Amino acid sequence: MSARRPTGILDWLKSLCARPAAPVSDIEQARRLLAAIDRGGIPLNPARVNAVARNLGLEVAKKARVEDTIARLRAAVHRAG
């Protein structure tokens, strides 16, 4: 019989004491989104892409193509450094 790591209530109690993750900046969110797009293609949720773009100060029309918004995001991240 092998020793198992305790799970259940102990893990739950430990999670209560864990520090929350630091909030991610808008530019870092955009970088992560673009990295995910580069790894796996166009995202299925255009609302998320639009939200990230709006957080960076870009104006995005409701009917804007996701590909166009991603191109504008790339340009904004490039300008930010």
Side-chain angles (χ1 to χ4, degrees), residues 30-59:
R31 283 188 182 118
R32 289 181 183 183
L33 175 66
L34 292 173
I37 290 169
D38 291 341
R39 283 192 311 269
I42 302 298
L44 297 176
N45 188 355
R48 180 166 185 247
V49 176
N50 291 346
V52 170
R54 286 187 182 111
N55 288 343
L56 285 179
L58 300 175
E59 291 185 21

